[in-house]
Amino acid sequence: MCLLKIPVNSMRHALFIRLVFMYLVVILPIILLGVYLYNWSYKNASEEISRNTLAQMSSYLEDLNREVEWLEIQQFDMLQDAELNKIAVIWELMDNAEKKERMDYLLHRLTSIKNSSAYINDIYVHIRSIDKTISAGNGVHDFERERYNHIRTVSEQSGSRLVEQNDSLHLSASKFGGRKGDEPLFIVQIELNSEKLKESLVQLSVYPKSGSFLIAEMAGFTLSGNIQTENILDKYLNGMNHLKENSMLMKVEGRNYHIDKADSAQLGLSIVTYLPEATVKRPLNRFNYWAWLFVGTSLLAIIVYSFYTYKLVHRPLLLLVQSFRRMEGGSLDILIEHGQKDEFGYLYDRFNQMLIKLQSLIDQDFKQKLMMQKAELKQLQSQIKPHFLYNSFFILNSLAKTGDTERMEIFTNMLGEYFRFITRNGEENVWLSEEIKHARMYTEIQKLRFSRRISVQFDDLPKEMDRIRVPRLVVQPIIENAYEHSLENMAEEGFLHVSFEQQPLEWLIIVEDNGSSLEDAAIDSLILRLGNTDDEHEMTGMMNIHRRIMLTYGEGSGLFLSRSKLNGLRVEIRIKIKEGDLDA
């Protein structure tokens, strides 16, 4: 038996569900308390890590800002350097020896500044007036017009202290002449060392698998501490960099990361660190282990409790309820065996005694009623046999009068097949395919009489309906009734249509014609007579067929009449589907 099968209409009324629910009410608060403590510990640990990380990043940005301020001081000292200003203004007035002396001095000065800070990758002086660029790394060379124009334009437009060029950050300062609107006489440009910045970012990553990256939004510059940071940096830039929170949670490639951010308004820089959630939870792993052990033990206790509750209470109760339901369905041979001498043993014993007494009381009455139904069915079937015989002799007489021997031969062959079917002994019911074949034979016989006045459309029987067991002679009399009471008396051309329909809970055999002799009141009267199942008078025709189908297939089956779309009578033979209607 299924553990989840409930013997009542509503699960909340089931005794087994109530017992398990009460046990859960006791154990669930303890489990929830453990979950709460775990989450509380995790939240405190993540907040403490975030506080330490934010303090470290703020200190880093302050140090970087001081370093940049010192570089800017060196840069502006260069702008005021007398020798540099002479080179920019009176270069053409100098002789070669003086030019070389001034250039050596300038190179020495640039090299000294470069060596004074590890954050300087190179320092440039772009002197437009002499068409030269001097750098600590490359010495004196041709004027770098592209670098000069880029650094000048970006500095003027953005107003930022830091400028991005060739994937690195730069500081720039310009020296202007006396006339307004002129280009700078020269620009002093300091290129920051990206590798040194990366090293400093790596030093911030004190936890395993953590990392950091630097963002200068105004300059359009980003710098990652390592290669693994790239995917996290892309995800951050594409969706979270606009958020104002300093700490947040971000999911990348199925893994959760804690994100902490610190900003420097002076530099226009942001530094972001990430830390895998698993690293935060690592100190709680032991607690997590015991928590899962407790949950597993609790679940095991629930399973054991549910199993014994099912075995000792629910299963015996379910067996008793199922036995009552089978008894309601008519099964009276369902005595219950139970070896235990408990309360259920007593209930089962009383149930068995009740079944024995009930079976002895209704056995005789039930069998007598069944025999009466079978006798009535045989009587009703016998009533319909003379109908077609009368009409057959009439057709044969008509053919003999006309001397149509060829049609008489065809008619007698079909008539022989017809009477072979209705006089067959042994079976009260036949396959629907045989019944339809017999009805189709009848329409072929009628075509010999009315081929010019009456046309017939006889649809094919669906394959799924071939093996339905039906009483004999239930379709042909309906067709005969259409001929006799409607089609034969029509002045215009008559039309008969036989069709079939399959619905979820019933099969339909539909016979309809275009005769209009019956008024709506007459159809309503026929419907009323068919609905009166207590009529004990002799029944013929449709009343006969209706009663036979009802006796065979039960309530809801039988004949149903209505006005046809062809303006005649529509007769539906409805057969309710039940177990045993189909024979494999």
Side-chain angles (χ1 to χ4, degrees):
M1 296 183 185
C2 179
L3 179 63
L4 297 178
K5 192 168 184 179
I6 305 301
V8 292
N9 295 329
S10 175
M11 289 187 64
R12 64 188 181 91
H13 294 149
L15 181 61
F16 173 72
I17 297 299
R18 290 183 177 184
L19 291 173
V20 174
F21 177 77
M22 289 303 299
Y23 184 82
L24 289 175
V25 168
V26 175
I27 199 69
L28 198 58
I30 302 175
I31 296 176
L32 293 177
L33 178 60
V35 174
Y36 170 77
L37 290 175
Y38 175 79
N39 289 330
W40 178 79
S41 301
Y42 166 71
K43 182 180 179 181
N44 283 347
S46 62
E47 288 178 352
E48 182 64 26
I49 290 175
S50 294
R51 282 194 293 268
N52 294 336
T53 303
L54 289 173
Q56 188 179 15
M57 289 191 297
S58 297
S59 177
Y60 171 83
L61 288 174
E62 289 176 2
D63 293 341
L64 184 61
N65 185 53
R66 283 194 294 268
E67 186 72 22
V68 171
E69 286 178 349
W70 189 88
L71 295 179
E72 288 176 333
I73 292 174
Q74 300 300 314
Q75 197 174 36
F76 283 101
D77 280 348
M78 284 294 300
L79 293 181
Q80 306 304 322
D81 187 274
E83 299 298 326
L84 177 57
N85 280 273
K86 288 180 181 180
I87 292 174
V89 176
I90 61 172
W91 176 261
E92 297 297 334
L93 302 178
M94 298 179 186
D95 56 26
N96 290 336
E98 191 176 1
K99 288 180 180 180
K100 183 177 184 307
E101 181 181 354
R102 297 280 195 290
M103 281 295 180
D104 289 342
Y105 165 79
L106 187 56
L107 284 172
H108 177 74
R109 180 75 187 275
L110 293 178
T111 302
S112 297
I113 295 175
K114 179 180 181 301
N115 294 333
S116 66
S117 175
Y119 283 95
I120 299 178
N121 187 54
D122 203 351
I123 180 169
Y124 304 86
V125 178
H126 305 286
I127 307 174
R128 178 181 56 82
S129 59
I130 66 172
D131 205 25
K132 295 291 183 183
T133 294
I134 303 101
S135 73
N138 295 322
V140 181
H141 51 278
D142 293 337
F143 184 65
E144 296 185 17
R145 169 62 66 176
E146 184 177 351
R147 182 186 291 267
Y148 170 86
N149 289 335
H150 175 80
I151 203 74
R152 174 192 164 206
T153 304
V154 173
S155 297
E156 291 176 355
Q157 291 178 352
S158 67
S160 174
R161 295 168 67 187
L162 296 172
V163 177
E164 187 275 337
Q165 188 178 50
N166 298 329
D167 295 328
S168 60
L169 288 176
H170 298 256
L171 295 169
S172 68
S174 302
K175 179 70 173 183
F176 290 90
R179 289 185 299 178
K180 187 176 180 180
D182 284 352
E183 291 186 29
L185 294 175
F186 56 87
I187 293 177
V188 179
Q189 178 183 359
I190 297 177
E191 179 184 355
L192 299 184
N193 192 328
S194 297
E195 293 301 321
K196 178 61 180 178
L197 290 174
K198 283 186 179 181
E199 290 177 9
S200 63
L201 289 176
V202 172
Q203 293 174 4
L204 292 175
S205 307
V206 296
Y207 296 100
K209 297 184 179 179
S210 63
S212 57
F213 43 87
L214 198 65
I215 302 174
E217 290 191 18
M218 294 183 65
F221 175 80
T222 58
L223 184 66
S224 301
N226 52 58
I227 299 176
Q228 290 77 12
T229 305
E230 296 296 335
N231 292 338
I232 302 174
L233 174 59
D234 292 341
K235 180 66 179 291
Y236 178 83
L237 293 176
N238 289 334
M240 304 187 72
N241 61 324
H242 63 282
L243 299 178
K244 302 300 182 182
E245 294 85 354
N246 290 330
S247 297
M248 64 201 77
L249 196 65
M250 184 173 69
K251 192 169 187 178
V252 181
E253 297 179 350
R255 299 180 64 185
N256 287 327
Y257 291 87
H258 284 271
I259 304 296
D260 294 303
K261 179 180 71 170
D263 299 314
S264 173
Q266 298 94 331
L267 294 174
L269 287 177
S270 297
I271 184 168
V272 180
T273 64
Y274 66 88
L275 178 64
E277 188 179 35
T279 303
V280 182
K281 291 183 176 180
R282 186 172 292 113
L284 303 175
N285 283 345
R286 189 171 184 83
F287 178 88
N288 193 31
Y289 168 79
W290 287 108
W292 280 112
L293 181 62
F294 175 77
V295 172
T297 305
S298 301
L299 291 177
L300 180 61
I302 293 173
I303 293 172
V304 172
Y305 178 83
S306 301
F307 173 77
Y308 278 100
T309 303
Y310 167 76
K311 181 178 180 181
L312 299 177
V313 180
H314 180 72
R315 187 167 61 182
L317 182 61
L318 180 61
L319 178 59
L320 182 62
V321 172
Q322 288 179 337
S323 299
F324 270 108
R325 288 180 176 174
R326 290 174 61 190
M327 183 188 69
E328 292 172 355
S331 297
L332 300 179
D333 55 343
I334 49 174
L335 299 180
I336 306 175
E337 297 181 2
H338 187 65
Q340 302 294 330
K341 301 300 182 180
D342 54 11
E343 291 84 352
F344 284 106
Y346 175 82
L347 290 175
Y348 290 168
D349 184 65
R350 299 283 79 77
F351 177 82
N352 292 339
Q353 291 184 21
M354 180 190 67
L355 278 184
I356 294 172
K357 291 181 181 180
L358 182 62
Q359 189 170 15
S360 64
L361 289 174
I362 68 174
D363 184 71
Q364 183 177 0
D365 182 67
F366 179 80
K367 289 183 178 179
Q368 287 179 351
K369 184 177 180 181
L370 183 62
M371 292 175 64
M372 289 177 62
Q373 286 182 343
K374 288 186 177 180
E376 183 182 10
L377 179 59
K378 284 184 174 290
Q379 181 182 7
L380 293 174
Q381 285 180 320
S382 65
Q383 290 179 4
I384 202 166
K385 291 180 181 178
H387 266 293
F388 187 70
L389 183 61
Y390 303 150
N391 290 328
S392 299
F393 281 118
F394 175 78
I395 296 172
L396 189 60
N397 181 60
S398 298
L399 292 175
K401 287 181 179 180
T402 60
D404 190 350
T405 57
E406 182 179 353
R407 296 176 70 190
M408 285 180 65
E409 180 181 0
I410 296 173
F411 173 78
T412 53
N413 287 333
M414 291 190 294
L415 195 62
E417 291 292 331
Y418 176 85
F419 280 107
R420 182 184 299 171
F421 177 82
I422 65 172
T423 58
R424 186 169 60 184
N425 293 325
E427 292 181 320
E428 296 175 352
N429 297 326
V430 296
W431 301 121
L432 181 58
S433 58
E434 296 176 348
E435 176 69 14
I436 296 304
K437 179 181 178 182
H438 174 71
R440 194 184 294 271
M441 180 72 71
Y442 175 81
T443 59
E444 293 297 326
I445 291 173
Q446 293 289 34
K447 282 182 181 180
L448 295 175
R449 292 184 60 199
F450 305 109
S451 59
R452 295 180 181 178
R453 292 197 301 113
I454 301 174
S455 60
V456 178
Q457 179 182 338
F458 208 118
D459 294 351
D460 293 331
L461 179 67
K463 189 68 177 177
E464 294 80 0
M465 297 175 65
D466 279 351
R467 308 297 283 177
I468 304 172
R469 283 286 189 180
V470 296
R472 284 193 289 175
L473 297 175
V474 292
V475 180
Q476 177 268 330
I478 302 298
I479 298 175
E480 181 180 2
N481 185 73
Y483 273 96
E484 182 178 353
H485 296 288
S486 181
L487 298 175
E488 292 181 9
N489 302 322
M490 289 181 60
E492 65 273 10
E493 181 178 354
F495 177 71
L496 177 72
H497 184 204
V498 182
S499 60
F500 308 90
E501 290 185 11
Q502 294 175 271
Q503 297 184 1
L505 297 178
E506 61 185 8
W507 291 298
L508 301 181
I509 305 167
I510 303 168
V511 180
E512 52 186 338
D513 58 67
N514 66 341
S516 58
S517 59
L518 285 178
E519 300 293 336
D520 290 340
I523 296 177
D524 293 339
S525 177
L526 285 173
I527 294 173
L528 186 62
R529 289 186 62 194
L530 290 177
N532 186 9
T533 56
D534 296 328
D535 188 1
E536 297 181 355
H537 294 86
E538 181 180 356
M539 293 177 290
T540 58
M542 286 191 291
M543 289 289 292
N544 188 316
I545 297 169
H546 180 67
R547 175 62 64 86
R548 291 164 62 205
I549 295 175
M550 283 187 61
L551 287 174
T552 303
Y553 290 101
E555 199 68 27
S557 300
L559 301 186
F560 294 82
L561 310 182
S562 62
R563 174 70 67 184
S564 169
K565 292 182 179 180
L566 302 175
N567 200 33
L569 181 65
R570 173 187 173 95
V571 181
E572 291 183 3
I573 303 175
R574 295 185 185 177
I575 300 175
K576 288 289 183 180
I577 300 173
K578 60 182 180 179
E579 195 172 338
D581 287 339
L582 295 177
D583 192 355

